[in-house]
C-alpha cells in the first residue's frame, strides 16, 4: 500500500495534454485556452461616449460660453457625425462615437434643457465622459493568454474579439462504469438484497459540471464478461472511471481482469480512508481509475485524484486549498483520513473546517450537507483546533 502523496504523484505523472480542438464559445466555459487571444481592433475601437447628453468643443466653454444650440443628434450604432459649428453641440448617447470637432461630453444631469439648446450648469473639464479609442488595449495586444481557464468574463472577451470558435485542450473521453450483481437501475424496484446503482450518475453529473462528456456502462461480477466488455469500451474511450469490484472480495474481479488485458498497475491500495482499495493503471495512453464502490469512497477518490489529473490534461494546475480545523479530531488508524467537513468563514476571513464523522463510506446523505474532505495526515492521532490542513472540495 502506498501513501496518498505517492499515489497522487503517480496519477499526475500520467497526465499529459491529449491534443487541441476547436470548439464554439457556447461550450467553452471551464475549458482551457490552447491559443493566445489578440485584440483584432483597438479597445475601445472608437472614442466612445460614456454618458447620455451633449458633446461640445471645450475651447468655446473655456472662453465662457454656457448655452449651446443643438446642431444634430447622434445615437449609438449610427456613423460618426461632425460638429459643424463649434459654438453649437450635438446631442449624443452612450455608446455613440464622439462627434468630430467635439472633445467633451456633458451629461443630461448637468444640463438644463432650453428651446432647441442646452445650458451647462456644472463645471466641466476637457475630455470628460469619453472612453478614448485604444485607451484600454491597442490592436494586436494579447487579451487572454494560452493556458487560461475560461470563465464567463472570458466568454465576453472572446466575443468582443470576434472569436466564435476557440482552440482549447481536448477533454478525455470518459467511460463511467459501475460493477456489481447487487445493482439495479434507478427505475427498477430492487428486491431485498439489491440496491439502486447511484455512483455512476454522481460521477457523470460531476463530469458534466467539469465539461467532460461521458457514457455510463455496467458490469456484472463475471470476469469473462468484464474482460470482453472492457475490450470493446477501450476502442472508444481514453479513461475508464470505475466504481466497485476492486477490494478483497471473492467477486472483486476488476484488478485481475485489467492486468490480464495488459494494463500496467501503478498502484492498488492507498493508505487512506475512505477509498483504500483504489486501483490505478494505464495501457499506453489509456488510464483506468478503479475506485471502491462505496459512494463516499468513490466521491473522495474522484476529487482527490481524477480532478487534478483532468486539470493537468487540460493544461492547468489544481491550486491547493488550505483550511483551519475548527474542532478536535482523533483518528487512530495509520491512514490519511479524509474527514467530511463543512466550511465556514471566521471574522478575520479564514476558512474553518468543522469535521462531522459520517456513518461510514456507504452513507451518501451525510456528505451531501458537507463541503468536502479535510485531509488529516497519517502518523498522528490527535488533530487540534487551529491546525491547518489541505481541503478537497466537492
Ligand atoms: P465494492 O467496492 O464492489 O465491494 O462495493 C462496495 C459497496 O458499494 C457495496 O455495498 C456496493 O453495493 C456499493 N456500490 C458499488 N457500486 C455502487 C454503485 N455504482 N452505486 C451505489 N453503490 C455501489
Ligand atoms: Mg462489488
Amino acid at each position: 500500500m502506498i501513501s496518498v502523496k505517492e499515489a497522487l504523484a503517480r496519477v499526475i505523472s500520467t497526465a499529459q495534454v491529449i491534443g487541441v480542438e476547436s470548439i464554439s464559445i457556447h461550450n467553452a466555459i471551464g475549458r482551457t485556452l490552447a491559443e493566445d487571444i489578440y485584440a483584432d481592433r483597438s479597445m475601445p475601437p472608437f472614442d466612445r461616449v460614456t454618458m447620455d447628453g451633449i458633446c461640445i468643443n471645450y475651447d468655446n466653454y473655456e472662453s465662457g460660453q454656457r448655452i449651446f444650440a443643438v446642431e444634430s443628434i447622434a445615437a449609438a450604432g449610427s456613423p460618426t457625425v461632425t460638429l459643424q459649428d463649434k459654438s453649437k453641440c450635438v446631442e449624443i448617447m452612450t455608446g455613440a462615437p464622439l462627434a468630430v470637432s467635439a472633445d467633451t461630453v456633458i451629461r443630461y444631469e448637468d444640463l438644463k434643457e432650453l428651446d432647441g439648446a442646452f445650458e451647462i450648469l456644472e463645471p466641466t473639464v476637457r475630455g470628460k465622459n469619453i472612453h478614448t479609442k485604444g485607451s484600454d488595449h491597442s490592436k494586436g495586444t494579447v487579451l487572454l493568454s494560452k493556458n487560461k481557464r475560461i470563465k464567463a468574463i472570458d466568454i465576453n472577451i472572446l466575443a468582443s474579439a470576434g472569436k466564435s470558435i476557440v482552440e482549447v485542450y481536448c477533454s478525455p473521453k470518459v467511460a463511467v462504469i459501475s460493477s456489481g450483481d447487487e445493482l439495479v437501475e434507478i427505475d427498477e424496484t430492487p428486491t431485498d438484497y439489491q440496491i439502486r446503482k447511484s455512483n455512476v450518475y454522481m460521477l457523470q453529473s460531476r463530469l458534466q459540471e467539469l465539461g467532460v462528456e461521458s457514457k455510463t456502462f455496467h458490469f456484472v461480477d463475471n470476469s469473462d464478461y468484464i474482460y470482453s466488455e472492457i475490450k470493446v469500451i477501450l476502442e472508444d474511450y481514453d479513461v475508464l472511471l470505475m466504481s466497485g469490484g476492486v477490494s478483497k472480495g471473492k467477486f472483486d474481479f476488476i484488478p485481475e481482469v485489467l492486468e490480464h488485458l495488459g494494463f500496467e498497475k501503478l498502484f492498488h491500495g492507498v493508505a487512506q480512508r475512505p477509498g483504500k482499495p483504489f486501483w490505478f493503471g494505464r495501457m499506453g495512453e489509456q488510464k483506468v481509475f478503479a475506485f471502491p464502490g462505496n459512494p463516499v469512497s468513490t466521491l473522495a477518490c474522484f476529487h482527490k485524484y481524477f480532478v487534478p489529473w483532468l486539470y493537468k490534461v487540460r493544461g492547468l494546475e489544481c491550486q491547493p486549498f488550505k483550511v483551519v480545523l475548527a474542532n478536535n479530531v482523533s483518528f487512530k488508524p495509520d491512514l490519511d483520513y479524509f474527514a467530511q467537513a463543512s466550511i465556514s468563514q471566521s471574522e478575520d476571513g479564514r476558512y474553518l473546517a468543522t469535521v462531522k464523522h459520517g456513518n461510514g463510506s456507504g452513507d451518501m446523505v451525510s456528505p451531501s450537507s458537507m463541503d468536502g474532505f479535510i485531509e488529516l495526515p497519517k502518523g498522528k492521532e490527535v488533530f487540534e483546533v487551529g491546525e491547518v490542513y489541505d481541503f478537497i472540495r466537492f
Side-chain angles (χ1 to χ4, degrees):
M1 194 159 56
I2 62 170
S3 69
V4 168
K5 197 170 164 215
E6 178 60 25
L8 183 61
R10 289 189 196 178
V11 168
I12 293 295
S13 74
T14 70
Q16 52 207 10
V17 167
I18 295 171
V20 167
E21 60 177 334
S22 296
I23 60 168
S24 156
I25 62 164
H26 300 294
N27 305 319
I29 189 109
R31 302 293 294 270
T32 312
L33 273 176
E35 60 172 330
D36 290 329
I37 303 298
Y38 296 92
D40 69 326
R41 53 207 296 237
S42 304
M43 293 176 78
F46 50 84
D47 289 336
R48 189 180 67 94
V49 169
T50 64
M51 285 286 172
D52 299 313
I54 61 169
C55 62
I56 60 165
N57 185 292
Y58 190 80
D59 291 344
N60 288 60
Y61 175 88
E62 204 171 30
S63 60
Q65 187 186 335
R66 290 295 177 270
I67 296 177
F68 291 79
V70 176
E71 188 185 82
S72 62
I73 185 160
S78 54
T80 309
V81 298
T82 300
L83 178 64
Q84 307 287 349
D85 179 344
K86 290 183 184 171
S87 70
K88 293 185 174 174
C89 71
V90 174
E91 230 182 313
I92 200 153
M93 305 305 138
T94 302
L98 181 67
V100 176
S101 297
D103 57 9
T104 303
V105 172
I106 324 288
R107 54 183 196 156
Y108 283 128
E109 292 87 328
D110 297 336
L111 297 171
K112 180 175 168 194
E113 185 161 13
L114 309 171
D115 189 17
F118 284 94
E119 180 182 356
I120 300 174
L121 304 176
E122 299 295 330
T124 191
V125 292
R126 195 188 298 273
K128 187 103 173 141
N129 299 324
I130 296 158
H131 190 190
T132 314
K133 176 177 176 176
S135 60
D136 292 342
H137 308 281
S138 42
K139 181 177 171 176
T141 51
V142 174
L143 303 176
L144 297 172
S145 302
K146 188 174 167 171
N147 287 354
K148 183 182 193 300
R149 181 160 198 236
I150 301 170
K151 299 185 288 191
I153 186 67
D154 301 324
I155 302 287
N156 190 311
I157 297 167
L158 290 165
S160 302
K163 296 283 291 185
S164 55
I165 301 288
V166 65
E167 282 195 2
V168 297
Y169 293 111
C170 294
S171 277
K173 284 188 74 187
V174 178
V176 181
I177 306 165
S178 54
S179 75
D181 289 350
E182 74 281 27
L183 302 174
V184 298
E185 265 311 330
I186 310 171
D187 298 329
E188 285 176 52
T189 308
T191 56
D192 309 352
Y193 51 86
Q194 292 177 322
I195 60 166
R196 294 193 184 90
K197 193 197 293 176
S198 56
N199 290 347
V200 282
Y201 303 112
M202 167 177 73
L203 293 180
Q204 192 169 43
S205 304
R206 194 63 189 96
L207 287 168
Q208 197 182 338
E209 282 182 331
L210 292 162
V212 178
E213 279 179 42
S214 65
K215 196 174 162 202
T216 62
F217 299 87
H218 180 71
F219 295 167
V220 292
D221 290 322
N222 172 302
S223 45
D224 292 339
Y225 178 86
I226 296 172
Y227 184 93
S228 53
E229 284 297 293
I230 294 183
K231 253 188 154 357
V232 175
I233 292 171
L234 287 173
E235 287 171 16
D236 289 322
Y237 292 88
D238 304 304
V239 174
L240 275 50
L241 269 190
M242 310 181 74
S243 70
V246 294
S247 306
K248 296 211 183 315
K250 281 269 142 61
F251 305 97
D252 289 335
F253 297 122
I254 303 286
E256 65 183 62
V257 172
L258 288 168
E259 283 170 58
H260 188 194
L261 278 160
F263 273 87
E264 177 195 356
K265 176 181 79 177
L266 293 177
F267 57 83
H268 186 192
V270 186
Q272 65 178 53
R273 180 178 294 169
K276 192 165 77 170
F278 175 27
W279 189 101
F280 177 73
R282 70 168 162 213
M283 185 161 58
E285 296 309 312
Q286 289 169 302
K287 314 287 168 347
V288 174
F289 294 74
F291 305 138
N294 272 309
V296 185
S297 308
T298 300
L299 182 73
C301 290
F302 179 87
H303 288 91
K304 176 68 190 175
Y305 301 101
F306 177 78
V307 172
W309 180 88
L310 176 69
Y311 267 59
K312 193 163 170 219
V313 166
R314 287 170 159 188
L316 288 176
E317 285 275 322
C318 235
Q319 296 305 326
F321 185 68
K322 300 267 184 202
V323 296
V324 180
L325 188 61
N327 52 349
N328 292 327
V329 177
S330 92
F331 182 74
K332 294 224 160 56
D334 193 27
L335 301 169
D336 274 28
Y337 179 32
F338 298 160
Q340 297 174 32
S342 58
I343 296 289
S344 59
Q345 219 175 356
S346 65
E347 292 211 338
D348 61 351
R350 293 174 311 151
Y351 290 107
L352 306 179
T354 304
V355 169
K356 188 177 162 242
H357 301 283
N359 293 324
S361 49
D363 177 17
M364 65 286 273
V365 179
S366 154
S368 164
S369 56
M370 299 289 122
D371 298 300
F373 300 99
I374 185 169
E375 294 191 53
L376 304 176
K378 71 193 194 81
K380 210 165 127 86
E381 289 187 4
V382 177
F383 304 88
E384 289 177 21
V385 172
E387 294 173 358
V388 176
Y389 296 105
D390 285 327
F391 195 75
I392 309 166
R393 281 177 284 189
F394 58 66

